[in-house]
Amino acid sequence: METKKVWFVTGASKGLGFELVKKLLSEGFYVAATSRNVDSLISAISETSAYFLPLNVNITDNNDVKSAIEKTVQHFGKIDVIVNNAGYGQLGTLEELTDEEARANYEVNVFGSLNVIRNAMPYLREQKSGNIFNISSIGGYSGNFPGWGIYCSTKFAVAGFTEALAEEARLFGVHATVVYPGYFRTDFLNKDSVRTPANSIKAYESARHSESAHLNEINGNQPNDPEKAAEALIAMSKEQNPPVHFLLGIETQEFLSNKIDAITKDAKAWESLTVSTGI
């Protein structure tokens, strides 16, 4: 019989993380789930049990994350699959956002995941097996969304360090995958979830239009089902050789093609200048 794996999922109180935790438990997996508000996990899912460990974690505090990983291993005896899902959307142009707003987004979306990786890898490396899924965004591959520059850059960072991690961890039988979700019908774009700039500048009409479109038109009409995203991640965790890059959701292939076309077009148009630097 297959030994059920132990999953560690951050940002599990809502969105993709919440749907994933529910699906994992329904299929008999062992799950440690983190949230800034553990009561929400307990009320929505369950108290601590043989299969479920809800954890109150400040993802930006390395010691807090270290403790959560240790508690997971103590409770279940091991840890197998890491899902770095915790994060939030920050709207605002580069000029509008303050240093504090930009850094706060990086603290959660980038350094929070690095805290988890730093503290989980010793266990995965020692047992010579495991999966790490770092949840980026299609905005972490294609960043041409006005008003989403800081958020997209955090997700580009997630993609970048996952590529390096995949090479570093491969020697120990550990797989790292960056996941690029498209638009999923979760509460990610709700006004109480996504953050808007404290001081907006009216002159940025394209950013205001993008902000309005995402909050009022796209929100609630996303074309992808988060339950099916959970199923896809579980299926991917069972693969012997999972990919480093995993596009998730319909319409993501279009973003892929458009980005490749744009880079190729620029490269060809400026090729003579590109190669003019040779000695």
Side-chain angles (χ1 to χ4, degrees):
M1 292 181 63
E2 178 189 7
T3 301
K4 289 294 186 179
K5 294 178 178 179
V6 176
W7 289 62
F8 183 89
V9 182
T10 68
S13 62
K14 56 185 178 180
L16 291 178
F18 180 70
E19 296 298 337
L20 176 59
V21 168
K22 287 197 304 178
K23 188 66 177 176
L24 287 167
L25 291 172
S26 72
E27 295 191 8
F29 290 95
Y30 300 100
V31 183
T34 82
S35 174
R36 290 172 298 175
N37 180 10
V38 73
D39 291 337
S40 63
L41 285 175
I42 293 172
S43 62
I45 300 176
S46 169
E47 297 274 356
T48 298
S49 69
Y51 283 87
F52 183 57
L53 179 64
L55 295 164
N56 193 88
V57 177
N58 175 3
I59 204 73
T60 67
D61 184 328
N62 183 69
N63 289 330
D64 211 16
V65 172
K66 185 176 186 291
S67 176
I69 296 288
E70 290 173 346
K71 289 176 182 177
T72 299
V73 175
Q74 290 169 2
H75 188 79
F76 296 114
K78 61 173 185 171
I79 191 168
D80 297 301
V81 185
I82 305 296
V83 182
N84 278 311
N85 172 71
Y88 69 91
Q90 175 66 65
L91 276 162
T93 67
L94 301 188
E95 180 185 353
E96 288 172 327
L97 293 180
T98 64
D99 180 69
E100 290 77 14
E101 287 172 310
R103 287 179 185 274
N105 206 203
Y106 267 83
E107 284 292 339
V108 174
N109 294 8
V110 178
F111 293 106
S113 293
L114 291 176
N115 287 339
V116 174
I117 292 166
R118 182 182 306 112
N119 290 289
M121 270 303 296
Y123 296 99
L124 303 180
R125 179 164 50 80
E126 179 67 23
Q127 70 192 25
K128 297 191 183 304
S129 66
N131 293 82
I132 299 176
F133 293 105
N134 294 324
I135 308 301
S136 176
S137 164
I138 196 60
Y141 176 76
S142 182
N144 57 334
F145 300 92
W148 287 92
I150 290 299
Y151 172 76
C152 286
S153 70
T154 68
K155 294 304 186 176
F156 268 77
V158 170
F161 68 63
T162 304
E163 289 185 356
L165 177 63
E167 295 302 317
E168 296 165 356
R170 192 187 311 278
L171 295 173
F172 309 106
V174 178
H175 302 286
T177 299
V178 53
V179 182
Y180 301 95
Y183 288 104
F184 279 83
R185 199 166 297 184
T186 69
D187 55 5
F188 175 77
L189 290 175
N190 287 1
K191 288 183 171 63
D192 60 348
S193 295
V194 70
R195 300 185 188 180
T196 54
N199 299 296
S200 62
I201 300 173
K202 292 183 179 180
Y204 283 107
E205 295 181 4
S206 60
R208 296 290 80 76
H209 176 75
S210 177
E211 178 180 317
S212 176
H214 279 84
L215 298 181
N216 302 315
E217 298 168 26
I218 297 174
N219 186 33
N221 295 301
Q222 297 96 324
N224 290 290
D225 183 345
E227 290 186 23
K228 292 181 179 178
E231 293 172 359
L233 287 174
I234 294 171
M236 188 62 74
S237 74
K238 298 176 182 179
E239 293 292 328
Q240 288 189 342
N241 295 296
V244 176
H245 301 273
F246 179 38
L247 293 171
L248 185 59
I250 62 173
E251 298 183 341
T252 54
Q253 292 284 349
E254 182 179 350
F255 284 99
L256 173 69
S257 298
N258 290 343
K259 178 67 175 282
I260 292 173
D261 290 345
I263 293 177
T264 301
K265 180 180 178 181
D266 284 346
K268 288 182 177 179
W270 297 97
E271 183 177 7
S272 61
L273 195 57
T274 296
V275 301
S276 68
T277 61
I279 296 175

